[in-house]
Amino acid sequence: RVLHGEQRFRYHRPAHAGDTLRFEQRIADIYAKKGGALEFVVRETRVTNQRGEHVADLIGTTVVRNG
């Protein structure tokens, strides 16, 4: 009933051994298709290092089959 739909990565700078990375996740969107039979949850995660520098963005979509 729960499927991995899509995953994308956008890199802004390298992460190095010894870096401390912080991941801040939020729900960016929720929408339905096929009359509500499929629901999509889009998560966006911002990754920063210990200096507050933007390292990467992670975008993932989870698909929920209803019914």
Side-chain angles (χ1 to χ4, degrees):
R1 295 183 53 118
V2 177
L3 305 169
H4 174 77
E6 179 182 6
Q7 192 166 9
R8 292 179 285 156
F9 304 91
R10 289 188 200 125
Y11 299 101
H12 302 287
R13 71 177 60 248
H16 300 282
D19 280 354
T20 300
L21 301 178
R22 178 181 171 143
F23 294 74
E24 295 178 59
Q25 188 174 81
R26 72 181 192 94
I27 302 297
D29 195 11
I30 299 175
Y31 60 93
K33 287 188 175 181
K34 296 192 177 187
L38 299 173
E39 290 184 337
F40 296 78
V41 179
V42 180
R43 297 171 328 281
E44 292 181 353
T45 305
R46 180 180 172 95
V47 182
T48 54
N49 62 20
Q50 68 275 12
R51 292 176 297 282
E53 299 168 329
H54 191 187
V55 174
D57 293 307
L58 318 175
I59 300 98
T61 303
T62 301
V63 182
V64 179
R65 295 185 308 174
N66 295 315

